Amino acid sequence: MSDKIAFLGLGNLGTPIAESLLEAGYELVVWNRTASKAEPLTKLGATVVENPIDAITAGGIVFSVLADDAAVEELFSMELVEKLGKDGVHVSMSTISPETSRQLAQVHEWYGAHYVGAPIFARPEAVRAKVGNICLSGNTGAKERIKPIVETFVKGVFDFGDDPGAANVIKLAGNFMIACSLEMMAEAFTMAEKNGISRQSIYEMLTSTLFAAPIFQNYGKLVASNTYEPVAFRFPLGLKDINLTLQTASDVNVPMPFADIIKNRFISGLAKGRENLDWGALALGASDDAGLTK
Amino acid sequence: MSDKIAFLGLGNLGTPIAESLLEAGYELVVWNRTASKAEPLTKLGATVVENPIDAITAGGIVFSVLADDAAVEELFSMELVEKLGKDGVHVSMSTISPETSRQLAQVHEWYGAHYVGAPIFARPEAVRAKVGNICLSGNTGAKERIKPIVETFVKGVFDFGDDPGAANVIKLAGNFMIACSLEMMAEAFTMAEKNGISRQSIYEMLTSTLFAAPIFQNYGKLVASNTYEPVAFRFPLGLKDINLTLQTASDVNVPMPFADIIKNRFISGLAKGRENLDWGALALGASDDAGLTK
């Protein structure tokens, strides 16, 4: 508990993670672009700062949970990384491109600091229930230092070696596979529906047998009822992630035909005004194509 | 145990089902196109006949486990169905098109017999372990009569109502989703591999967390090692099933873009001489596309 931890980014995911760290007894200095979101954490003992650099301790630890590549690159200016300095560790939890992680890692190393890619698989409620899973990659000593800290809020920790971008590759692959699960259920349930079989009954059969995994059981519920509210993960973020996946794959010459279809589902969903739904609404595309939606 | 059961078709799947019925104490009259395959069952008490019609008892029960639509249509000639006759029940376990099931059901009803669509989700070893799942659809009384019989060799029985084709729709949907699971793992693992991450490590992470379901764990093992022997389900049967899926979907105006990609994976695999591999070898397509296979 000796480390004072900087925590930058208190969105849907950042907030429950920060709360978990505070509850575990860590001393947190928090910052968020919209300061009002940080206020409730003061009751749990957090110190709120107006300027992110003021959260940083030389040689300390900083967590970041931000929206996208641009937000991480903007926040981690050379000035900030320089202050983090020798032996400082940046735990970068945002879903960003592996390439951005590799570039940021170089900047960190220049100043003697370490960048650890640390994306998490967890919806906000999964963080609170401590059933999420985190992937780590980057400097070995830095990973060892932060492991006991992340273990306070996840179920599983998976180490993907030295490459700071590797953990992001796994995160993108996982999100891609979730999106594919949505699309395959959408196509299968729609074929069933137009054969006079209720979406609910095919959902129940398949997710209690061959596909008895949380992804299919939880997202399948949305696809069975074609209901994509309330929002746990915003629709446009789905497009952001699949674009990152396709770029990452293209960078190493890997065609991904399923990812191309998913991308177009998101683009079409935006064209149809679905930007305020959960990203699961990509599954509406199959119903649209079959003439079932208006 | 009062019913004498006719059992037609002793392939990879038919044989363990027939064995289970014999072990459960049922009296079986078996037939197979290649008679030698039927011989070992005599040790378990089965009666072997040379002509399928000789297996049929008027008003009795007949199971069929055959390769494709043509085999079922050829075997269930009007002569045979007439002999099955009033109150006879045909338990049709082959993976065939819903449309063929509906047409066969009409012929059966004409002679007072009932056709029950009864495809099973189970590899041969799953039948032996009694962990498979069966979908039933068709005449209610006929389903009630056969339920205690099928319960001797499956874990779950799922009833999809009166439409004799409905159970086949579910079977095709399930096989389609398995094929999609193979393709999505293939694309994701290949992206990881070309980013320097071992296929085994991404397999272990994802199938122990988000995708902790037997389909992903078992097929994922094949995709992780890109090894598709020994064969549990032959490659060309994969193409047969996805063609049935696309035809069934097209009949009710449901486009299935994922199924189109799967179909082309199978066609390309045949072009590359993979007809003697397990159908999981569709996953080699992603490696081919990324220049990883020769």
Side-chain angles (χ1 to χ4, degrees):
Chain A
M1 310 285 126
S2 60
D3 283 319
K4 189 153 80 175
I5 297 171
F7 200 100
L8 313 182
L10 296 165
N12 283 344
L13 204 57
T15 298
I17 294 170
E19 286 170 356
S20 298
L21 290 173
L22 288 164
E23 282 159 16
Y26 288 100
E27 200 178 330
L28 246 57
V29 184
V30 303
W31 169 88
N32 192 58
R33 191 176 298 272
T34 311
S36 59
K37 279 191 162 181
E39 214 42 58
L41 290 178
T42 55
K43 285 176 200 151
L44 295 169
T47 306
V48 180
V49 294
E50 269 183 46
N51 197 326
I53 203 166
D54 294 335
I56 305 294
T57 308
I61 292 171
V62 53
F63 278 72
S64 68
V65 191
L66 301 162
D68 54 27
D69 289 54
V72 182
E73 288 176 314
E74 192 194 329
L75 200 57
F76 283 79
S77 63
M78 284 200 275
E79 196 191 354
L80 189 145
V81 177
E82 187 176 13
K83 185 176 176 189
L84 183 59
K86 189 166 165 9
D87 297 334
V89 178
H90 175 189
V91 186
S92 178
M93 298 189 62
S94 317
T95 299
I96 59 173
S97 87
E99 208 36 47
T100 299
S101 279
R102 288 166 189 144
Q103 287 167 10
L104 281 166
Q106 288 191 337
V107 176
H108 283 63
E109 296 298 331
W110 177 262
Y111 290 106
H114 303 300
Y115 174 100
V116 177
I120 185 171
F121 286 103
R123 292 192 165 215
E125 65 274 18
V127 174
R128 291 197 177 85
K130 302 197 199 316
V131 295
N133 291 286
I134 198 165
C135 297
L136 301 181
S137 67
N139 177 277
T140 303
K143 283 184 296 190
E144 288 311 313
R145 180 170 170 201
I146 63 155
K147 261 182 200 167
I149 305 174
V150 300
E151 277 167 354
T152 61
F153 62 85
V154 298
K155 184 175 166 200
V157 179
F158 295 83
D159 191 332
F160 285 92
D162 296 337
D163 169 16
N168 295 116
V169 174
I170 304 297
K171 171 69 180 177
L172 292 176
N175 277 12
F176 157 73
M177 284 177 55
I178 298 172
C180 288
S181 304
L182 284 156
E183 172 66 19
M184 72 159 89
M185 287 191 283
E187 293 185 21
F189 294 5
T190 303
M191 176 176 68
E193 178 180 358
K194 291 195 83 174
N195 268 279
I197 299 161
S198 79
R199 296 171 76 93
Q200 185 64 27
S201 67
I202 184 172
Y203 159 73
E204 283 172 11
M205 191 272 159
L206 291 172
T207 62
S208 68
T209 56
L210 290 75
F211 292 90
I215 290 297
F216 288 90
Q217 290 163 339
N218 297 334
Y219 282 105
K221 232 176 268 180
L222 310 185
V223 180
S225 62
N226 257 339
T227 304
Y228 303 99
E229 290 172 300
V231 175
F233 187 64
R234 291 195 312 114
F235 195 84
L237 294 176
L239 179 58
K240 184 208 80 169
D241 282 7
I242 202 73
N243 277 332
L244 288 178
T245 304
L246 282 164
Q247 185 58 53
T248 300
S250 173
D251 286 348
V252 291
N253 298 333
V254 174
M256 295 180 74
F258 268 19
D260 289 328
I261 286 172
I262 298 294
K263 176 179 177 164
N264 285 319
R265 289 297 195 207
F266 282 120
I267 293 173
S268 174
L270 290 178
K272 292 165 184 166
R274 292 177 184 153
E275 66 274 9
N276 292 321
L277 296 180
D278 188 76
W279 75 314
L282 81 90
L284 284 170
S287 291
D288 294 342
D289 287 355
L292 291 170
T293 48
K294 352 162 221 305
Chain B
M1 311 287 127
S2 60
D3 283 320
K4 190 153 79 174
I5 298 171
F7 200 100
L8 312 181
L10 296 165
N12 283 344
L13 203 57
T15 298
I17 294 171
E19 287 169 355
S20 298
L21 289 173
L22 287 164
E23 282 159 15
Y26 289 100
E27 200 177 330
L28 246 56
V29 184
V30 303
W31 169 88
N32 192 56
R33 188 176 300 271
T34 311
S36 59
K37 279 190 164 183
E39 214 42 58
L41 289 178
T42 56
K43 286 178 201 153
L44 293 171
T47 306
V48 180
V49 293
E50 270 183 47
N51 197 328
I53 202 166
D54 294 334
I56 304 295
T57 308
I61 292 172
V62 52
F63 278 71
S64 68
V65 191
L66 302 162
D68 54 26
D69 290 52
V72 183
E73 287 175 317
E74 191 195 329
L75 200 57
F76 283 80
S77 62
M78 284 200 276
E79 195 192 355
L80 190 146
V81 177
E82 187 176 13
K83 184 174 177 192
L84 182 60
K86 189 165 167 5
D87 296 333
V89 178
H90 175 190
V91 185
S92 178
M93 298 189 63
S94 318
T95 300
I96 58 174
S97 87
E99 206 39 46
T100 297
S101 280
R102 287 165 190 145
Q103 286 166 9
L104 280 166
Q106 287 189 339
V107 175
H108 283 62
E109 296 298 331
W110 175 262
Y111 290 106
H114 303 298
Y115 174 101
V116 177
I120 186 172
F121 285 103
R123 290 190 167 215
E125 65 275 19
V127 173
R128 292 199 176 86
K130 302 196 198 318
V131 295
N133 291 285
I134 198 166
C135 297
L136 302 181
S137 66
N139 177 278
T140 304
K143 284 183 296 188
E144 287 312 313
R145 181 172 169 198
I146 63 156
K147 261 181 202 168
I149 305 174
V150 300
E151 278 166 355
T152 61
F153 62 85
V154 298
K155 185 176 167 203
V157 179
F158 294 83
D159 191 332
F160 284 93
D162 296 338
D163 170 16
N168 295 117
V169 174
I170 304 296
K171 172 69 179 176
L172 293 177
N175 277 13
F176 157 72
M177 284 177 55
I178 297 171
C180 288
S181 304
L182 283 156
E183 171 67 20
M184 70 157 92
M185 286 191 283
E187 295 186 20
F189 294 5
T190 303
M191 175 175 68
E193 178 180 358
K194 291 197 81 174
N195 269 280
I197 299 162
S198 79
R199 296 170 75 95
Q200 185 63 26
S201 67
I202 183 172
Y203 160 72
E204 284 172 10
M205 191 273 158
L206 290 172
T207 62
S208 68
T209 55
L210 289 75
F211 293 90
I215 290 297
F216 288 89
Q217 289 163 340
N218 296 335
Y219 282 105
K221 232 176 269 179
L222 310 185
V223 181
S225 62
N226 256 340
T227 304
Y228 304 100
E229 289 172 300
V231 174
F233 187 64
R234 292 195 312 115
F235 195 85
L237 294 176
L239 178 58
K240 184 208 81 170
D241 282 7
I242 203 74
N243 276 332
L244 288 178
T245 305
L246 282 164
Q247 185 59 52
T248 301
S250 171
D251 286 347
V252 290
N253 298 332
V254 175
M256 294 181 74
F258 267 20
D260 289 328
I261 286 172
I262 298 295
K263 175 179 177 164
N264 284 320
R265 289 296 195 208
F266 282 119
I267 293 173
S268 174
L270 290 178
K272 291 165 185 165
R274 294 179 182 151
E275 65 275 9
N276 292 323
L277 296 181
D278 189 76
W279 76 314
L282 81 91
L284 284 170
S287 291
D288 295 340
D289 288 355
L292 291 170
T293 48
K294 357 169 217 298

